[in-house]
Amino acid sequence: MGSRNIFTRIDEGADRQPAGENKNRGVRRTWPAVGLLVLLLLAGAGYVLADTAQPGGADDPLVTKSYVLQQVDMLKEQIVLLRQDLDKNKQLVDQIQQKVEQQGTAGGGGPGVWQIVELEKGQTLVGGAGCELVLRGGTATALDPTGNGLSNLTAGADLKNGAAVPRNHLLLVPRDDGRGLKATANKVWVMYRGSVTVKK
């Protein structure tokens, strides 16, 4: 009995591990998890750094002072060209406005609309190219600085400079060369279609 108890205790003591060795086993099991976590953190940091544009790289290049000045000069040239275009457009608008004002001096009206203008003695009405004139009241003479005459479509003849204009005859101004009518009565009414300019 006594000897059996002694061997039993020896065997049981052989199965037991010292307290320090159990702690070492726990530490050994923890290290692989810590190493894996560190690797994951390093991989994530590398991805973030790779995704961020580096100064001087392809996504964020550095430029020289000369390059910046060159770009500024190009912008200045573009601004000068734009100003020139604006000036040209402004001149074109002014020319169109002047023509509109000249056409409107006798009351305005489009090329396909008949208008009536009242003239005083000594005033002249100069028609543009293709302008049609009809003397409705008063007296007037033909105005023709070219010597070719004012076309009288009703009579089928030309009215030379200074010739009396018959009433209710359809007259045609072939070209924009100064041909028209001159009022010889105190009040003269002329019906016209097209562009005209009244002069004193």
Side-chain angles (χ1 to χ4, degrees):
M1 292 294 293
S3 60
R4 183 179 296 176
N5 291 334
I6 292 173
F7 288 116
T8 302
R9 289 176 184 174
I10 292 173
D11 293 339
E12 290 177 354
D15 293 337
R16 295 177 183 175
Q17 297 294 332
E21 188 173 348
N22 289 335
K23 292 180 180 179
N24 291 335
R25 282 189 178 181
V27 171
R28 289 175 184 173
R29 293 177 182 175
T30 306
W31 274 112
V34 173
L36 180 61
L37 180 61
V38 171
L39 289 176
L40 290 175
L41 290 175
L42 291 176
Y47 175 78
V48 172
L49 292 175
D51 192 48
T52 304
Q54 296 295 326
D59 296 331
D60 187 15
L62 297 176
V63 295
T64 61
K65 180 180 178 181
S66 60
Y67 175 79
V68 174
L69 294 177
Q70 181 183 6
Q71 296 300 315
V72 172
D73 292 338
M74 291 176 62
L75 289 176
K76 288 181 179 179
E77 292 178 0
Q78 293 295 328
I79 292 173
V80 171
L81 294 176
L82 289 175
R83 287 180 178 176
Q84 292 177 354
D85 291 339
L86 288 175
D87 292 338
K88 290 180 181 179
N89 292 333
K90 184 178 179 182
Q91 293 177 359
L92 181 61
V93 170
D94 292 339
Q95 292 176 359
I96 294 175
Q97 186 175 0
Q98 289 178 359
K99 290 182 179 180
V100 171
E101 291 177 354
Q102 291 176 356
Q103 294 178 1
T105 54
V113 180
W114 284 98
Q115 300 287 328
I116 295 178
V117 60
E118 181 179 337
L119 304 177
E120 296 181 357
K121 188 175 183 178
Q123 286 186 322
T124 60
L125 185 147
V126 177
C131 179
E132 296 172 287
L133 306 173
V134 177
L135 179 63
R136 293 292 294 161
T139 58
T141 57
L143 182 65
D144 176 28
T146 65
N148 295 323
L150 190 64
S151 298
N152 186 340
L153 300 181
T154 302
D158 290 332
L159 293 176
K160 298 299 183 179
N161 188 46
V165 177
R167 291 186 184 179
N168 298 320
H169 279 215
L170 179 60
L171 309 179
L172 176 65
V173 179
R175 295 181 180 178
D176 188 8
D177 52 11
R179 282 181 270 194
L181 303 177
K182 182 177 181 179
T184 56
N186 292 332
K187 295 293 181 181
V188 176
W189 292 269
V190 178
M191 187 168 66
Y192 70 92
R193 182 165 61 181
S195 63
V196 298
T197 303
V198 177
K199 299 180 181 180
K200 295 183 178 181

